Amino acid sequence: MIPLAASARPEEGTFQPGVRAPVRGPHAALARELLGPAAGGDASGGIELRLVSDPSLGAEGYTLAVTPERAVISAADVAGLRWGVQTLRQLDGPDGVPCGTVRDVPRYAWRGVMIDVARWWRPVSFLRSYVDLLALHKFNVLHLHLTDDQGWRFEVRGHPRLTEVGSRRAGSPAGHAREGRSDGTPHGGFYTQRELRDLVEYAAARGVTVVPEIEFPGHSQAAIAALPWLGHSSGTPVRVRTEWGISSHVLNVGDRAAGFARDVLDELCDVFPSRYVHIGGDEVRGEEWAADSEAARRVAEAGLDGPRALLGWWGRLLADHLRGLGRRAVAWDDMLDHDPPEDMVIMAWRGVDRVEAALRAGHDVVAAPHTHTYLDYAESDAPGEPVSIAGPLPLETVYGYDAGESVLGMQAQLWGEYLPTRERFDYNAFPRLCAVAEAAWSAGRDLDGFTRRLADHLPLLDRLGVAYRRPEGAARVHL
């Protein structure tokens, strides 16, 4: 099992769902879909899903009891039933499901994976496929990074130019960004609100909440290219950025730009029912604010300590608006230095020390330090590894990260710059995503045991068509 269950007691014998065992109980239809052709027939015994009164299981815990005749999954909530079904999927090997009992409760409430679709647009089929892989490994959050300097992917009906202009760029870097080469190939794409609603529904049925992110007020060059009045007039037209890296263009602090942000959040919250909405807030350069008279007036009116404090002004404005919509703002830990509201969730990315700083400041924290969770980093610096933004970040380092008991959860990041294809994305994601799954779900750490279980888990990834990076010494199954 990956992630490792809290407790498991093996017993003699196996259960053979291959006789098309029937599935009974809440969410039986989804269980049949997940378990495939082995489920759904009229044979005796079979698979039973039960809702029970057991507060110790919480919303996501479950028990699984397997005998030669049947498998019984019990939980206090349907969320736990789903995770029990995923465990049954993993245990169903060539010889059937081994008999025994499992009792399992997750360590963290937030077990997330961020997928960046702003740098490279991904089809909805890709996102659905990854929802399935996340659910298999008991992740419950898909953090969808929808906008950046290099592309705007969310349809905003009140501002159609955001996707008409902002979703397309003239080219992309070829090779490493520092080489300054371009592929000269236009790239673009966006998601309609209908497509995203369908994705949200698909993910929710599998126990995954889609948390959207719109970047404010930095990483906004694509938005400014589409709506120039959002930026600072310099006489030179702004285009959707074709280079990786950080743009100096930021949203201005005028009333019209603030109204724009509220418009976007209104439409975003109409599509995404998630309690949490990510507002970005990272890597905001303040040169344009420092040179802008309107920004100086805003600083004076708000009693701020200089133009750089406008990042905090933006954060409070957006968090206040989201609070009025019944939502809660999440921001990268850059916001921590600029007087964020107490109810803002801090996603700590700049290091383990930022996790601790956010906790000391009294915030709910999602641990996402780049030193341990940025899976776009190369796993190795050995010859032959594909070009990556940074690294190495080996599997053992990912698995070894312990975020402590005080955080809301932890999350893996897959920034898209160097991951243009599904194959390359899989290569960077797996099997390190398995390590994050266990770190987020399971309380203990046993690298040797994890390595042994991972070897047994890889054939399942093979059957699912995942083009993972093969660990040293692991054989790939050719189907």
Side-chain angles (χ1 to χ4, degrees):
M1 279 181 285
I2 293 178
L4 182 65
S7 66
R9 187 177 72 244
E11 297 175 4
E12 292 294 325
T14 59
F15 169 61
Q16 299 288 342
V19 297
R20 291 184 54 80
V23 183
R24 305 180 182 90
H27 286 266
L30 177 62
R32 293 187 194 102
E33 179 183 341
L34 294 173
L35 294 169
D42 299 320
S44 60
I47 300 164
E48 184 175 350
L49 311 180
R50 297 176 179 172
L51 287 175
V52 298
S53 179
D54 186 349
S56 69
L57 291 174
E60 294 188 280
Y62 67 93
T63 63
L64 170 63
V66 182
T67 68
E69 292 77 31
R70 62 178 54 86
V72 179
I73 300 169
S74 303
D77 189 275
V78 294
L81 294 179
R82 295 190 193 100
W83 301 137
V85 169
Q86 298 292 359
T87 294
L88 191 62
R89 286 183 69 197
Q90 288 198 24
L91 291 175
D92 187 10
D95 299 322
V97 181
C99 292
T101 59
V102 173
R103 183 179 177 86
D104 209 2
V105 178
R107 184 183 191 191
Y108 296 136
W110 182 303
R111 305 179 304 279
V113 176
M114 189 221 69
I115 295 181
D116 170 15
V117 295
R119 273 47 175 262
W120 294 103
W121 177 83
R122 320 275 180 179
V124 174
S125 59
F126 171 98
L127 295 176
R128 287 192 172 213
S129 174
Y130 258 82
V131 164
D132 290 336
L133 288 169
L134 266 55
L136 176 66
H137 295 90
K138 300 187 177 71
F139 288 104
N140 63 355
V141 172
L142 168 58
H143 168 186
L144 203 55
H145 184 80
L146 286 162
T147 70
D148 217 293
D149 297 315
Q150 294 84 7
W152 183 286
R153 310 297 178 205
F154 173 64
E155 177 193 27
V156 180
R157 291 172 178 170
H159 298 281
R161 281 182 58 84
L162 287 169
T163 47
E164 291 170 359
V165 175
S167 70
R168 302 192 176 278
R169 62 174 181 262
S172 308
H176 202 289
R178 63 174 172 260
E179 298 172 12
R181 296 186 290 117
S182 173
D183 64 8
T185 302
H187 176 79
F190 68 94
Y191 307 104
T192 67
Q193 293 191 8
R194 175 61 181 274
E195 287 175 321
L196 291 170
R197 285 192 177 94
D198 289 347
L199 176 67
V200 165
E201 181 178 357
Y202 183 88
R206 287 150 179 79
V208 177
T209 298
V210 183
V211 173
E213 180 186 3
I214 302 291
E215 279 274 12
F216 301 105
H219 285 288
S220 296
Q221 184 166 325
I224 295 167
L227 303 172
W229 49 266
L230 289 173
H232 299 77
S233 177
S234 63
T236 303
V238 174
R239 55 177 173 76
V240 179
R241 187 175 173 92
T242 57
E243 305 85 14
W244 307 140
I246 309 166
S247 170
S248 61
H249 294 298
V250 298
L251 301 181
N252 66 53
V253 294
D255 290 340
R256 192 179 180 191
F260 160 82
R262 295 188 189 98
D263 291 346
V264 171
L265 291 178
D266 286 346
E267 293 201 30
L268 192 75
C269 289
D270 190 50
V271 173
F272 295 92
S274 166
R275 178 188 178 195
Y276 300 98
V277 173
H278 205 302
I279 59 171
D282 64 313
E283 299 178 323
V284 177
R285 295 183 172 176
E287 295 93 335
E288 290 185 330
W289 289 337
D292 183 58
S293 58
E294 185 175 42
R297 285 194 299 272
R298 183 70 75 183
V299 167
E301 290 170 1
L304 302 176
D305 184 21
R308 293 196 64 81
L310 288 166
L311 174 56
W313 176 85
W314 265 112
R316 292 185 293 276
L317 180 146
L318 298 171
D320 287 349
H321 189 69
L322 286 170
R323 197 178 301 114
L325 296 173
R327 310 304 177 89
R328 193 171 174 191
V330 184
W332 298 107
D333 72 63
D334 310 53
M335 197 70 76
L336 186 62
D337 303 325
H338 298 279
D339 193 23
E342 291 181 0
D343 63 345
M344 180 177 283
V345 177
I346 299 298
M347 191 165 281
W349 72 277
R350 287 184 291 173
V352 173
D353 61 317
R354 299 299 289 176
V355 177
E356 300 303 321
L359 288 171
R360 286 196 301 271
H363 291 274
D364 282 340
V365 180
V366 176
H370 72 97
T371 51
H372 296 81
T373 68
Y374 272 37
L375 305 190
D376 53 309
Y377 286 11
E379 185 164 344
S380 165
D381 57 6
E385 287 287 347
V387 174
S388 297
I389 193 169
L393 179 53
L395 177 72
E396 295 79 5
T397 301
V398 176
Y399 184 77
Y401 177 58
D402 190 329
E405 299 305 320
S406 300
V407 298
L408 178 63
M410 64 179 296
Q411 181 170 287
Q413 280 56 240
L414 284 151
W415 297 103
E417 291 99 326
Y418 294 88
L419 312 178
T421 65
R422 170 63 191 262
E423 291 73 21
R424 179 63 202 280
F425 196 95
D426 284 357
Y427 182 90
N428 273 66
F430 285 97
R432 289 183 295 180
L433 212 52
C434 299
V436 179
E438 187 150 314
W441 179 279
S442 309
R445 288 291 189 284
D446 176 4
L447 180 59
D448 290 340
F450 171 76
T451 302
R452 288 192 298 272
R453 285 181 285 110
L454 180 61
D456 292 334
H457 187 67
L458 294 181
L460 175 57
L461 297 184
D462 282 310
R463 292 195 297 273
L464 295 173
V466 179
Y468 58 86
R469 181 186 186 276
R470 187 176 66 192
E472 286 72 13
R476 181 180 288 276
V477 177
H478 297 282
L479 304 179

